Amino acid sequence: MASASCLCLAVLLALASAAAGQLSSTFYDTSCPNALSTIKSAVTTAVNNEPRMGASLLRMHFHDCFVDGCDASVLLNDTATFTGEQGAIPNKNSLRGFTVIDNIKAQVEAVCNQTVSCADILAVAARDSVVALGGPSWTVLLGRRDSTNASKSNAESDLPGPNFDLSNLTQLFANKNLNVTDLVALSGGHTIGQAQCRFFRDHIYNDTNINSTFASSLQGNCPRASGSGDANLAPLDAPSPTTFNNDYFNSLLSQKGLLHSDQELFNGGSADSTVRSFASSASAFSSAFTAAMVKMGNISPKTGSQGQIRLSCSKVN
């Protein structure tokens, strides 16, 4: 009886582990040992060609994971009869890097046919982008499978907006089992990249918690009138927009956050002490950022027999 009980317990534990969708750092070691090196080489080339692409690939992974988990649903193209995540307000005409991912997928397929998921490619590409721009590395857990659908409505409800206040941000991240430290650390991804005028117009004209000289310097390239210069760009981290460091947090201390949601992290609220900590210690930021990226990468992954391994990242098989 005792041995039978032990056997039953072992089976239950195995089933529980499978149900939890455990990812592994060694997932492709046997099935596609050259997968990671292939992705890294392609990402490094893309970022060297255009440093801003590193931020774009990092953002795409974030936007993928926050909507129905890290399942590459964000990569599914809209069609005449289907509007998915790409057509959602937070993504439309702002997400970029799709051709880079398509190129990486083609290179990976040439090495290992229908083995490596687009979701895993996104996760690895985000890490390699950060490294290419001077940031820290981390061990990416692997084994995700790709979604066969995408939800516009979920993208519009689950992605943080540039005008969110700290309460909204904290709750949205908590919904994904990410705490305030994770929120501040992941927001630190804005140490690289640029944003469109339409996303920071309200902040530079209407908010009071912004350095007046900084606001004025942005207004010349971002007219007050909506629809005028909407796509004009400004760096999220003016001192070093193509170097991954902790300058972003020092900018927040000086009320020079580009987005309303950026400055909300340092505005007399519960995140202030974390911002100060990351501003004073690059290593503290790096440590928290890498930990948060691993947590984010483990949001509701599809594993086992769920989903599929797409042959083309932009459409289902």
Side-chain angles (χ1 to χ4, degrees):
M1 286 292 290
S3 60
S5 298
C6 289
L7 179 60
C8 289
L9 179 59
V11 171
L12 287 172
L13 289 173
L15 289 172
S17 177
Q22 296 299 312
L23 303 178
S24 165
S25 62
T26 60
F27 190 82
Y28 297 112
D29 281 9
T30 301
S31 61
C32 191
N34 293 322
L36 298 190
S37 60
T38 301
I39 297 169
K40 183 178 181 65
S41 176
V43 169
T44 302
T45 297
V47 175
N48 285 344
N49 288 338
E50 184 199 358
R52 183 188 171 205
M53 185 53 66
S56 298
L57 295 177
L58 175 61
R59 181 172 184 249
M60 193 182 297
H61 177 47
F62 176 90
H63 280 225
D64 180 38
C65 290
F66 260 62
V67 184
D68 301 324
C70 309
D71 59 2
S73 52
V74 74
L75 298 177
L76 290 174
N77 283 347
D78 291 347
T79 67
T81 57
F82 166 77
T83 301
E85 293 173 32
Q86 292 182 19
I89 292 171
N91 295 330
K92 191 174 183 179
N93 298 323
S94 69
L95 274 188
R96 55 197 304 276
F98 296 107
T99 57
V100 172
I101 294 298
D102 287 343
N103 176 52
I104 296 172
K105 176 63 171 175
Q107 292 187 43
V108 172
E109 283 295 311
V111 175
C112 308
N113 179 250
Q114 205 169 358
T115 302
V116 182
S117 68
C118 298
D120 278 347
I121 287 174
L122 265 185
V124 175
R127 188 270 310 275
D128 293 343
S129 293
V130 169
V131 172
L133 293 174
S137 185
W138 61 94
T139 299
V140 178
L141 301 179
L142 304 163
R144 302 168 189 81
R145 287 169 64 85
D146 299 326
S147 173
T148 55
N149 54 64
S151 171
K152 177 178 183 287
S153 60
N154 287 354
E156 292 181 341
S157 65
D158 289 3
L159 288 169
N163 295 317
F164 272 27
D165 62 22
L166 183 59
S167 176
N168 295 142
L169 291 168
T170 301
Q171 183 58 59
L172 188 146
F173 274 67
N175 292 343
K176 308 298 179 183
N177 294 316
L178 298 168
N179 58 35
V180 172
T181 300
D182 299 322
L183 159 63
V184 178
L186 290 172
S187 298
H190 286 176
T191 180
I192 52 177
Q194 303 186 59
Q196 297 178 16
C197 163
R198 62 191 174 109
F199 294 131
F200 60 83
R201 175 182 282 120
D202 285 347
H203 182 49
I204 65 173
Y205 284 104
N206 300 324
D207 286 347
T208 57
N209 62 337
I210 184 172
N211 179 284
S212 59
T213 302
F214 175 66
S216 296
S217 72
L218 293 163
Q219 289 170 1
N221 194 43
C222 184
R224 183 187 290 270
S226 178
S228 179
D230 282 5
N232 292 351
L233 298 171
L236 286 155
D237 174 9
S240 53
T242 58
T243 302
F244 196 97
N245 55 31
N246 66 335
D247 284 349
Y248 166 82
F249 298 105
N250 284 293
S251 292
L252 297 185
L253 297 185
S254 303
Q255 292 192 313
K256 294 180 181 178
L258 182 65
L259 306 178
H260 175 88
S261 56
D262 288 325
Q263 198 57 58
E264 275 290 297
L265 301 179
F266 190 77
N267 194 37
S270 59
D272 281 15
S273 60
T274 307
V275 171
R276 287 195 185 94
S277 172
F278 293 165
S280 64
S281 172
S283 62
F285 166 50
S286 291
S287 178
F289 179 80
T290 56
M293 286 297 293
V294 173
K295 287 177 69 175
M296 186 185 78
N298 203 35
I299 296 175
S300 304
K302 290 175 173 59
T303 59
S305 60
Q306 298 173 313
Q308 61 183 212
I309 305 297
R310 285 190 225 135
L311 287 166
S312 169
C313 289
S314 63
K315 60 185 180 181
V316 298
N317 296 341

